[in-house]
PDB file of all heavy atoms in Angstrom:
ATOM      1  N   ILE T 520     -46.003   3.021 -11.595  1.00 98.00           N
ATOM      2  CA  ILE T 520     -46.706   2.492 -10.419  1.00 98.00           C
ATOM      3  C   ILE T 520     -48.183   2.262 -10.752  1.00 98.00           C
ATOM      4  O   ILE T 520     -48.753   1.231 -10.434  1.00 98.00           O
ATOM      5  CB  ILE T 520     -46.510   3.439  -9.215  1.00 98.00           C
ATOM      6  CG1 ILE T 520     -45.033   3.385  -8.796  1.00 98.00           C
ATOM      7  CG2 ILE T 520     -47.414   3.047  -8.048  1.00 98.00           C
ATOM      8  CD1 ILE T 520     -44.578   4.513  -7.924  1.00 98.00           C
ATOM      9  N   ASP T 521     -48.767   3.210 -11.465  1.00 98.00           N
ATOM     10  CA  ASP T 521     -50.190   3.071 -11.820  1.00 98.00           C
ATOM     11  C   ASP T 521     -50.437   1.880 -12.734  1.00 98.00           C
ATOM     12  O   ASP T 521     -51.469   1.229 -12.646  1.00 98.00           O
ATOM     13  CB  ASP T 521     -50.692   4.355 -12.495  1.00 98.00           C
ATOM     14  CG  ASP T 521     -50.732   5.525 -11.524  1.00 98.00           C
ATOM     15  OD1 ASP T 521     -50.745   5.278 -10.296  1.00 98.00           O
ATOM     16  OD2 ASP T 521     -50.742   6.685 -11.977  1.00 98.00           O
ATOM     17  N   THR T 522     -49.491   1.605 -13.620  1.00 98.00           N
ATOM     18  CA  THR T 522     -49.706   0.495 -14.567  1.00 98.00           C
ATOM     19  C   THR T 522     -49.146  -0.820 -14.036  1.00 98.00           C
ATOM     20  O   THR T 522     -49.416  -1.876 -14.596  1.00 98.00           O
ATOM     21  CB  THR T 522     -49.003   0.782 -15.915  1.00 98.00           C
ATOM     22  OG1 THR T 522     -47.605   0.969 -15.653  1.00 98.00           O
ATOM     23  CG2 THR T 522     -49.570   2.017 -16.593  1.00 98.00           C
ATOM     24  N   GLY T 523     -48.336  -0.741 -12.995  1.00 98.00           N
ATOM     25  CA  GLY T 523     -47.728  -1.952 -12.460  1.00 98.00           C
ATOM     26  C   GLY T 523     -46.473  -2.390 -13.208  1.00 98.00           C
ATOM     27  O   GLY T 523     -45.852  -3.388 -12.852  1.00 98.00           O
ATOM     28  N   TRP T 524     -46.060  -1.628 -14.227  1.00 98.00           N
ATOM     29  CA  TRP T 524     -44.840  -1.992 -14.968  1.00 98.00           C
ATOM     30  C   TRP T 524     -43.609  -1.438 -14.256  1.00 98.00           C
ATOM     31  O   TRP T 524     -43.278  -0.268 -14.410  1.00 98.00           O
ATOM     32  CB  TRP T 524     -44.884  -1.445 -16.397  1.00 98.00           C
ATOM     33  CG  TRP T 524     -45.739  -2.239 -17.323  1.00 98.00           C
ATOM     34  CD1 TRP T 524     -46.871  -1.827 -17.959  1.00 98.00           C
ATOM     35  CD2 TRP T 524     -45.510  -3.596 -17.753  1.00 98.00           C
ATOM     36  NE1 TRP T 524     -47.374  -2.836 -18.746  1.00 98.00           N
ATOM     37  CE2 TRP T 524     -46.560  -3.932 -18.642  1.00 98.00           C
ATOM     38  CE3 TRP T 524     -44.537  -4.568 -17.464  1.00 98.00           C
ATOM     39  CZ2 TRP T 524     -46.667  -5.178 -19.245  1.00 98.00           C
ATOM     40  CZ3 TRP T 524     -44.633  -5.809 -18.064  1.00 98.00           C
ATOM     41  CH2 TRP T 524     -45.693  -6.108 -18.937  1.00 98.00           C
ATOM     42  N   ILE T 525     -42.961  -2.251 -13.471  1.00 97.00           N
ATOM     43  CA  ILE T 525     -41.761  -1.772 -12.777  1.00 97.00           C
ATOM     44  C   ILE T 525     -40.501  -2.544 -13.170  1.00 97.00           C
ATOM     45  O   ILE T 525     -39.395  -2.071 -13.006  1.00 97.00           O
ATOM     46  CB  ILE T 525     -41.942  -1.839 -11.231  1.00 97.00           C
ATOM     47  CG1 ILE T 525     -42.346  -3.232 -10.798  1.00 97.00           C
ATOM     48  CG2 ILE T 525     -42.960  -0.799 -10.762  1.00 97.00           C
ATOM     49  CD1 ILE T 525     -42.347  -3.417  -9.294  1.00 97.00           C
ATOM     50  N   SER T 526     -40.643  -3.727 -13.717  1.00 97.00           N
ATOM     51  CA  SER T 526     -39.469  -4.558 -14.028  1.00 97.00           C
ATOM     52  C   SER T 526     -38.871  -4.190 -15.385  1.00 97.00           C
ATOM     53  O   SER T 526     -39.318  -3.261 -16.052  1.00 97.00           O
ATOM     54  CB  SER T 526     -39.865  -6.028 -14.053  1.00 97.00           C
ATOM     55  OG  SER T 526     -40.522  -6.313 -15.286  1.00 97.00           O
ATOM     56  N   SER T 527     -37.904  -4.970 -15.806  1.00 96.00           N
ATOM     57  CA  SER T 527     -37.253  -4.746 -17.097  1.00 96.00           C
ATOM     58  C   SER T 527     -38.163  -5.071 -18.278  1.00 96.00           C
ATOM     59  O   SER T 527     -37.824  -4.770 -19.419  1.00 96.00           O
ATOM     60  CB  SER T 527     -35.986  -5.596 -17.176  1.00 96.00           C
ATOM     61  OG  SER T 527     -36.312  -6.960 -17.022  1.00 96.00           O
ATOM     62  N   GLU T 528     -39.305  -5.663 -18.005  1.00 95.00           N
ATOM     63  CA  GLU T 528     -40.239  -6.002 -19.088  1.00 95.00           C
ATOM     64  C   GLU T 528     -41.108  -4.813 -19.494  1.00 95.00           C
ATOM     65  O   GLU T 528     -41.834  -4.875 -20.481  1.00 95.00           O
ATOM     66  CB  GLU T 528     -41.159  -7.156 -18.641  1.00 95.00           C
ATOM     67  CG  GLU T 528     -40.445  -8.478 -18.395  1.00 95.00           C
ATOM     68  CD  GLU T 528     -39.907  -9.086 -19.682  1.00 95.00           C
ATOM     69  OE1 GLU T 528     -40.625  -9.092 -20.683  1.00 95.00           O
ATOM     70  OE2 GLU T 528     -38.742  -9.528 -19.664  1.00 95.00           O
ATOM     71  N   GLY T 529     -41.056  -3.740 -18.735  1.00 97.00           N
ATOM     72  CA  GLY T 529     -41.936  -2.594 -18.993  1.00 97.00           C
ATOM     73  C   GLY T 529     -41.617  -1.873 -20.294  1.00 97.00           C
ATOM     74  O   GLY T 529     -40.506  -1.964 -20.815  1.00 97.00           O
ATOM     75  N   PRO T 530     -42.592  -1.137 -20.822  1.00 98.00           N
ATOM     76  CA  PRO T 530     -42.464  -0.519 -22.154  1.00 98.00           C
ATOM     77  C   PRO T 530     -41.488   0.657 -22.225  1.00 98.00           C
ATOM     78  O   PRO T 530     -40.991   0.965 -23.308  1.00 98.00           O
ATOM     79  CB  PRO T 530     -43.889  -0.030 -22.444  1.00 98.00           C
ATOM     80  CG  PRO T 530     -44.523   0.145 -21.096  1.00 98.00           C
ATOM     81  CD  PRO T 530     -43.912  -0.903 -20.219  1.00 98.00           C
ATOM     82  N   PHE T 531     -41.205   1.305 -21.089  1.00 98.00           N
ATOM     83  CA  PHE T 531     -40.288   2.450 -21.136  1.00 98.00           C
ATOM     84  C   PHE T 531     -38.855   2.034 -21.496  1.00 98.00           C
ATOM     85  O   PHE T 531     -38.090   2.835 -22.006  1.00 98.00           O
ATOM     86  CB  PHE T 531     -40.256   3.174 -19.779  1.00 98.00           C
ATOM     87  CG  PHE T 531     -41.477   3.996 -19.475  1.00 98.00           C
ATOM     88  CD1 PHE T 531     -41.799   4.296 -18.152  1.00 98.00           C
ATOM     89  CD2 PHE T 531     -42.287   4.485 -20.483  1.00 98.00           C
ATOM     90  CE1 PHE T 531     -42.909   5.080 -17.848  1.00 98.00           C
ATOM     91  CE2 PHE T 531     -43.414   5.268 -20.192  1.00 98.00           C
ATOM     92  CZ  PHE T 531     -43.720   5.564 -18.871  1.00 98.00           C
ATOM     93  N   VAL T 532     -38.509   0.790 -21.189  1.00 98.00           N
ATOM     94  CA  VAL T 532     -37.123   0.370 -21.414  1.00 98.00           C
ATOM     95  C   VAL T 532     -36.773   0.466 -22.901  1.00 98.00           C
ATOM     96  O   VAL T 532     -35.785   1.106 -23.286  1.00 98.00           O
ATOM     97  CB  VAL T 532     -36.860  -1.057 -20.874  1.00 98.00           C
ATOM     98  CG1 VAL T 532     -35.435  -1.488 -21.182  1.00 98.00           C
ATOM     99  CG2 VAL T 532     -37.120  -1.117 -19.368  1.00 98.00           C
ATOM    100  N   LYS T 533     -37.615  -0.140 -23.737  1.00 98.00           N
ATOM    101  CA  LYS T 533     -37.336  -0.102 -25.191  1.00 98.00           C
ATOM    102  C   LYS T 533     -37.414   1.324 -25.729  1.00 98.00           C
ATOM    103  O   LYS T 533     -36.636   1.711 -26.606  1.00 98.00           O
ATOM    104  CB  LYS T 533     -38.334  -0.998 -25.933  1.00 98.00           C
ATOM    105  CG  LYS T 533     -38.027  -2.468 -25.744  1.00 98.00           C
ATOM    106  CD  LYS T 533     -38.716  -3.314 -26.809  1.00 98.00           C
ATOM    107  CE  LYS T 533     -38.311  -4.767 -26.713  1.00 98.00           C
ATOM    108  NZ  LYS T 533     -38.807  -5.406 -25.449  1.00 98.00           N
ATOM    109  N   GLU T 534     -38.343   2.082 -25.179  1.00 98.00           N
ATOM    110  CA  GLU T 534     -38.499   3.464 -25.650  1.00 98.00           C
ATOM    111  C   GLU T 534     -37.238   4.281 -25.314  1.00 98.00           C
ATOM    112  O   GLU T 534     -36.746   5.046 -26.148  1.00 98.00           O
ATOM    113  CB  GLU T 534     -39.722   4.062 -24.960  1.00 98.00           C
ATOM    114  CG  GLU T 534     -40.294   5.268 -25.672  1.00 98.00           C
ATOM    115  CD  GLU T 534     -41.483   5.860 -24.923  1.00 98.00           C
ATOM    116  OE1 GLU T 534     -42.265   5.090 -24.320  1.00 98.00           O
ATOM    117  OE2 GLU T 534     -41.607   7.097 -24.915  1.00 98.00           O
ATOM    118  N   PHE T 535     -36.732   4.084 -24.121  1.00 98.00           N
ATOM    119  CA  PHE T 535     -35.516   4.797 -23.717  1.00 98.00           C
ATOM    120  C   PHE T 535     -34.316   4.334 -24.544  1.00 98.00           C
ATOM    121  O   PHE T 535     -33.499   5.152 -24.983  1.00 98.00           O
ATOM    122  CB  PHE T 535     -35.266   4.589 -22.210  1.00 98.00           C
ATOM    123  CG  PHE T 535     -34.025   5.275 -21.691  1.00 98.00           C
ATOM    124  CD1 PHE T 535     -33.833   6.639 -21.874  1.00 98.00           C
ATOM    125  CD2 PHE T 535     -33.060   4.559 -20.996  1.00 98.00           C
ATOM    126  CE1 PHE T 535     -32.687   7.275 -21.385  1.00 98.00           C
ATOM    127  CE2 PHE T 535     -31.918   5.188 -20.507  1.00 98.00           C
ATOM    128  CZ  PHE T 535     -31.739   6.549 -20.703  1.00 98.00           C
ATOM    129  N   GLU T 536     -34.223   3.036 -24.780  1.00 98.00           N
ATOM    130  CA  GLU T 536     -33.122   2.523 -25.613  1.00 98.00           C
ATOM    131  C   GLU T 536     -33.153   3.157 -26.997  1.00 98.00           C
ATOM    132  O   GLU T 536     -32.116   3.550 -27.550  1.00 98.00           O
ATOM    133  CB  GLU T 536     -33.239   0.997 -25.742  1.00 98.00           C
ATOM    134  CG  GLU T 536     -32.901   0.252 -24.462  1.00 98.00           C
ATOM    135  CD  GLU T 536     -33.087  -1.255 -24.570  1.00 98.00           C
ATOM    136  OE1 GLU T 536     -33.906  -1.729 -25.391  1.00 98.00           O
ATOM    137  OE2 GLU T 536     -32.422  -1.978 -23.822  1.00 98.00           O
ATOM    138  N   LYS T 537     -34.350   3.258 -27.541  1.00 98.00           N
ATOM    139  CA  LYS T 537     -34.513   3.811 -28.883  1.00 98.00           C
ATOM    140  C   LYS T 537     -34.134   5.288 -28.902  1.00 98.00           C
ATOM    141  O   LYS T 537     -33.376   5.737 -29.762  1.00 98.00           O
ATOM    142  CB  LYS T 537     -35.984   3.664 -29.269  1.00 98.00           C
ATOM    143  CG  LYS T 537     -36.209   3.290 -30.706  1.00 98.00           C
ATOM    144  CD  LYS T 537     -37.706   3.183 -30.880  1.00 98.00           C
ATOM    145  CE  LYS T 537     -38.130   2.635 -32.195  1.00 98.00           C
ATOM    146  NZ  LYS T 537     -39.556   2.234 -32.077  1.00 98.00           N
ATOM    147  N   LYS T 538     -34.652   6.036 -27.933  1.00 98.00           N
ATOM    148  CA  LYS T 538     -34.424   7.494 -27.923  1.00 98.00           C
ATOM    149  C   LYS T 538     -32.956   7.814 -27.685  1.00 98.00           C
ATOM    150  O   LYS T 538     -32.381   8.664 -28.343  1.00 98.00           O
ATOM    151  CB  LYS T 538     -35.260   8.155 -26.819  1.00 98.00           C
ATOM    152  CG  LYS T 538     -36.714   8.286 -27.211  1.00 98.00           C
ATOM    153  CD  LYS T 538     -37.326   9.575 -26.652  1.00 98.00           C
ATOM    154  CE  LYS T 538     -38.695   9.816 -27.279  1.00 98.00           C
ATOM    155  NZ  LYS T 538     -39.786   9.743 -26.315  1.00 98.00           N
ATOM    156  N   LEU T 539     -32.350   7.122 -26.711  1.00 98.00           N
ATOM    157  CA  LEU T 539     -30.968   7.449 -26.393  1.00 98.00           C
ATOM    158  C   LEU T 539     -30.026   7.065 -27.530  1.00 98.00           C
ATOM    159  O   LEU T 539     -29.168   7.844 -27.942  1.00 98.00           O
ATOM    160  CB  LEU T 539     -30.513   6.804 -25.088  1.00 98.00           C
ATOM    161  CG  LEU T 539     -29.206   7.476 -24.662  1.00 98.00           C
ATOM    162  CD1 LEU T 539     -29.304   8.113 -23.314  1.00 98.00           C
ATOM    163  CD2 LEU T 539     -28.024   6.572 -24.785  1.00 98.00           C
ATOM    164  N   SER T 540     -30.216   5.849 -28.079  1.00 98.00           N
ATOM    165  CA  SER T 540     -29.322   5.421 -29.160  1.00 98.00           C
ATOM    166  C   SER T 540     -29.508   6.322 -30.380  1.00 98.00           C
ATOM    167  O   SER T 540     -28.538   6.701 -31.036  1.00 98.00           O
ATOM    168  CB  SER T 540     -29.529   3.942 -29.495  1.00 98.00           C
ATOM    169  OG  SER T 540     -30.876   3.686 -29.803  1.00 98.00           O
ATOM    170  N   ALA T 541     -30.757   6.687 -30.672  1.00 98.00           N
ATOM    171  CA  ALA T 541     -31.010   7.577 -31.819  1.00 98.00           C
ATOM    172  C   ALA T 541     -30.350   8.940 -31.606  1.00 98.00           C
ATOM    173  O   ALA T 541     -29.848   9.538 -32.561  1.00 98.00           O
ATOM    174  CB  ALA T 541     -32.504   7.745 -32.035  1.00 98.00           C
ATOM    175  N   SER T 542     -30.307   9.405 -30.359  1.00 98.00           N
ATOM    176  CA  SER T 542     -29.726  10.720 -30.098  1.00 98.00           C
ATOM    177  C   SER T 542     -28.231  10.762 -30.404  1.00 98.00           C
ATOM    178  O   SER T 542     -27.670  11.833 -30.596  1.00 98.00           O
ATOM    179  CB  SER T 542     -29.989  11.156 -28.651  1.00 98.00           C
ATOM    180  OG  SER T 542     -29.042  10.577 -27.774  1.00 98.00           O
ATOM    181  N   VAL T 543     -27.580   9.619 -30.437  1.00 98.00           N
ATOM    182  CA  VAL T 543     -26.159   9.585 -30.819  1.00 98.00           C
ATOM    183  C   VAL T 543     -25.971   8.894 -32.169  1.00 98.00           C
ATOM    184  O   VAL T 543     -24.856   8.504 -32.537  1.00 98.00           O
ATOM    185  CB  VAL T 543     -25.267   8.917 -29.732  1.00 98.00           C
ATOM    186  CG1 VAL T 543     -25.268   9.744 -28.462  1.00 98.00           C
ATOM    187  CG2 VAL T 543     -25.695   7.481 -29.443  1.00 98.00           C
ATOM    188  N   GLY T 544     -27.052   8.720 -32.904  1.00 98.00           N
ATOM    189  CA  GLY T 544     -26.946   8.185 -34.258  1.00 98.00           C
ATOM    190  C   GLY T 544     -26.615   6.703 -34.330  1.00 98.00           C
ATOM    191  O   GLY T 544     -26.045   6.239 -35.317  1.00 98.00           O
ATOM    192  N   ARG T 545     -26.980   5.947 -33.307  1.00 98.00           N
ATOM    193  CA  ARG T 545     -26.760   4.504 -33.344  1.00 98.00           C
ATOM    194  C   ARG T 545     -28.076   3.774 -33.618  1.00 98.00           C
ATOM    195  O   ARG T 545     -29.136   4.220 -33.200  1.00 98.00           O
ATOM    196  CB  ARG T 545     -26.215   4.021 -31.987  1.00 98.00           C
ATOM    197  CG  ARG T 545     -24.790   4.466 -31.691  1.00 98.00           C
ATOM    198  CD  ARG T 545     -23.774   3.697 -32.500  1.00 98.00           C
ATOM    199  NE  ARG T 545     -22.469   3.701 -31.832  1.00 98.00           N
ATOM    200  CZ  ARG T 545     -21.395   3.068 -32.303  1.00 98.00           C
ATOM    201  NH1 ARG T 545     -21.448   2.384 -33.440  1.00 98.00           N
ATOM    202  NH2 ARG T 545     -20.251   3.115 -31.645  1.00 98.00           N
ATOM    203  N   ALA T 546     -27.973   2.626 -34.245  1.00 98.00           N
ATOM    204  CA  ALA T 546     -29.173   1.867 -34.612  1.00 98.00           C
ATOM    205  C   ALA T 546     -29.776   1.142 -33.414  1.00 98.00           C
ATOM    206  O   ALA T 546     -30.993   0.964 -33.350  1.00 98.00           O
ATOM    207  CB  ALA T 546     -28.835   0.865 -35.717  1.00 98.00           C
ATOM    208  N   TYR T 547     -28.925   0.692 -32.486  1.00 98.00           N
ATOM    209  CA  TYR T 547     -29.419  -0.104 -31.360  1.00 98.00           C
ATOM    210  C   TYR T 547     -28.874   0.394 -30.031  1.00 98.00           C
ATOM    211  O   TYR T 547     -27.750   0.904 -29.959  1.00 98.00           O
ATOM    212  CB  TYR T 547     -28.998  -1.577 -31.515  1.00 98.00           C
ATOM    213  CG  TYR T 547     -29.418  -2.178 -32.828  1.00 98.00           C
ATOM    214  CD1 TYR T 547     -28.508  -2.259 -33.884  1.00 98.00           C
ATOM    215  CD2 TYR T 547     -30.708  -2.648 -33.028  1.00 98.00           C
ATOM    216  CE1 TYR T 547     -28.874  -2.789 -35.104  1.00 98.00           C
ATOM    217  CE2 TYR T 547     -31.087  -3.181 -34.247  1.00 98.00           C
ATOM    218  CZ  TYR T 547     -30.174  -3.254 -35.280  1.00 98.00           C
ATOM    219  OH  TYR T 547     -30.550  -3.771 -36.493  1.00 98.00           O
ATOM    220  N   GLY T 548     -29.668   0.187 -28.979  1.00 98.00           N
ATOM    221  CA  GLY T 548     -29.223   0.470 -27.624  1.00 98.00           C
ATOM    222  C   GLY T 548     -29.659  -0.668 -26.727  1.00 98.00           C
ATOM    223  O   GLY T 548     -30.783  -1.160 -26.861  1.00 98.00           O
TER     224      GLY T 548
END
Side-chain angles (χ1 to χ4, degrees):
I520 292 163
D521 292 340
T522 58
W524 282 116
I525 54 172
S526 78
S527 59
E528 295 292 316
F531 286 157
V532 177
K533 286 198 175 67
E534 200 182 325
F535 179 55
E536 288 177 334
K537 219 180 188 164
K538 283 215 169 115
L539 194 121
S540 55
S542 82
V543 295
R545 290 286 204 178
Y547 305 98

